[in-house]
Amino acid sequence: MIWGAMSSAGVGPLCFVKSREIMEHFMLPSADELYGNADFNFQHSLAPPHTAKSTKTWFHDHGITVLDWPANSSDLNPIENLWIIAKRKMRDMRLNNAPELKAAIEASWFSIIPQECHRWIISMQRRIEAVIDAKGAQTKY
């Protein structure tokens, strides 16, 4: 598994997940880098580890507001578009081992420019309207 962060200012670091320390060692530093002292809302994919009681407690204890949004709503999660972009950049690569794969993932992720991130963030109003219009069904996003 890979954890990544993004904001309208660009992408944050990637973490190739090995432990639950990801929030402490990657999410918080990424938030500091991307937002400084500004307030932000955290959005996650609602995977079971993200919704566990211990994770909810961790967010509460650190004063982090978690965006309340419906499960399985990739339409409303702009980072999913960045993963698609990163995967597309790797489509024709022939990789021989795990280190080559990791390097290719990092190279494709960090080639995503801040303007691309900003574009997906500002699309949220249109995404929300599209989901409402589709009565919760899948949209073009």
Side-chain angles (χ1 to χ4, degrees):
M1 287 180 54
I2 304 167
W3 180 89
M6 60 94 64
S7 77
S8 62
V11 298
L14 290 177
C15 173
F16 293 83
V17 180
K18 294 182 180 175
S19 73
R20 290 192 68 170
E21 296 176 351
I22 195 166
M23 302 305 282
E24 199 75 41
H25 297 292
F26 291 92
M27 195 283 286
L28 285 179
S30 292
D32 286 343
E33 180 181 326
L34 294 168
Y35 295 101
N37 292 327
D39 290 336
F40 67 95
N41 291 325
F42 185 78
Q43 180 180 10
H44 55 70
S45 65
L46 295 177
H50 300 163
T51 59
K53 186 176 181 179
S54 61
T55 304
K56 290 179 182 180
T57 300
W58 187 91
F59 280 115
H60 180 267
D61 292 348
H62 286 82
I64 297 170
T65 302
V66 177
L67 186 63
D68 186 25
W69 68 296
N72 301 318
S73 296
S74 58
D75 297 2
L76 299 177
N77 193 342
I79 200 169
E80 296 301 331
N81 298 96
L82 295 187
W83 289 122
I84 291 167
I85 292 166
K87 287 177 188 177
R88 195 174 300 137
K89 291 179 181 205
M90 296 175 49
R91 183 178 17 223
D92 296 326
M93 293 182 181
R94 300 291 176 246
L95 306 166
N96 297 311
N97 53 47
E100 285 182 12
L101 175 61
K102 182 179 177 183
I105 292 168
E106 289 175 331
S108 65
W109 180 255
F110 291 116
S111 71
I112 298 170
I113 60 173
Q115 293 83 351
E116 185 74 19
C117 297
H118 181 73
R119 191 184 88 177
W120 290 111
I121 295 292
I122 63 171
S123 74
M124 287 304 295
Q125 182 65 37
R126 290 189 311 274
R127 291 165 177 268
I128 292 167
E129 291 169 1
V131 169
I132 291 168
D133 290 345
K135 296 182 176 41
Q138 189 173 5
T139 71
K140 69 177 185 174
Y141 296 102

